[in-house]
Amino acid sequence: MGKGKGVRVGLDKLHYALMTDEATETYATPVPIPGAITATISPEVNSETLYADDQAAEIATSLGGVEVEINVKDLPSDIQSVILGSTIDENGVMIDSKNDNPPYLALGFRSRKSNGEYRYYWLFKGKFTPAEEEFNTKEDSPSFQTPTITGSFLPRESDGQWRARVDSDDEGIKPAVITDWFTKVYDGVPIV
């Protein structure tokens, strides 16, 4: 008897890849973001119902934006400055400016399943915005204060795609798809 499909029980291997060319929607090599804690993907789907003959006759849906929230152990300045479009000055200090322009990027990660396999994800095109920061004084019991950052993702213009996902135990999945998942943003090119 097989292992079964399993359910998601984990999160790791968080990566971002800068979109190097918006016209051709190509990406730089993915860069890891260490210490993934949570990732929340919230697609906004709008729908309208057409009524005819005193009943619902048709439903049309349209994808709006996709809100993504990630919480990590820490978000180092070198990574934060890249994904938020901030600068690090010659003294090594990160400077945030009203003129910062976050770049488009792809976000990838994997989620362990209860059967020991993984579900892999790439969100293709989005921008992150500065996060709300809350600070607490140290009390009798330590309390972790980890950063959460929010991004807005949307479908790519060239093909309308906004996400790729695959389970490592899906039937017919070519092993190279899984082994190459974090070496480049998934592009759908057939693997020989």
Side-chain angles (χ1 to χ4, degrees):
M1 181 170 206
K3 290 186 190 180
K5 292 301 273 179
V7 295
R8 292 179 290 113
V9 295
L11 170 68
D12 70 353
K13 301 280 187 185
L14 189 61
H15 284 70
Y16 74 89
L18 292 179
M19 184 176 272
T20 55
D21 187 337
E22 283 184 55
T24 60
E25 295 173 329
T26 54
Y27 304 90
T29 302
V31 176
I33 302 173
I37 297 173
T38 62
T40 304
I41 303 168
S42 304
E44 180 185 320
V45 179
N46 303 306
S47 66
E48 280 295 323
T49 303
L50 172 70
Y51 291 86
D53 292 330
D54 290 335
Q55 65 182 10
E58 294 283 338
I59 297 175
T61 60
S62 175
L63 178 69
V66 178
E67 292 301 310
V68 175
E69 184 176 274
I70 58 171
N71 178 236
V72 293
K73 177 180 159 188
D74 188 29
L75 197 54
S77 296
D78 59 336
I79 293 174
Q80 200 170 147
S81 66
V82 171
I83 65 177
L84 295 178
S86 302
T87 58
I88 295 182
D89 72 12
E90 57 192 44
N91 297 317
V93 176
M94 189 171 92
I95 306 294
D96 296 314
S97 164
K98 68 177 186 173
N99 297 320
D100 290 347
N101 186 17
Y104 280 115
L105 54 81
L107 185 72
F109 58 91
R110 72 179 185 177
S111 179
R112 187 174 180 89
K113 299 188 328 176
S114 60
N115 65 357
E117 297 293 332
Y118 289 90
R119 181 168 296 157
Y120 292 81
Y121 292 84
W122 272 112
L123 304 173
F124 292 130
K125 185 178 182 181
K127 288 187 177 195
F128 281 94
T129 56
E132 180 179 310
E133 295 179 288
E134 181 179 329
F135 302 90
N136 296 308
T137 191
K138 185 177 175 185
E139 297 176 357
D140 293 341
S141 296
S143 175
F144 294 110
Q145 300 172 40
T146 58
T148 298
I149 190 165
T150 303
S152 296
F153 283 72
L154 64 155
R156 294 187 295 202
E157 290 180 30
S158 64
D159 56 17
Q161 297 174 357
W162 66 276
R163 174 173 64 184
R165 59 185 169 173
V166 66
D167 288 8
S168 57
D169 56 347
D170 279 348
E171 281 194 36
I173 187 72
K174 295 182 179 175
V177 169
I178 301 304
T179 58
D180 291 349
W181 196 260
F182 297 112
T183 62
K184 62 180 182 150
V185 176
Y186 181 73
D187 57 12
V189 173
I191 297 172
V192 195

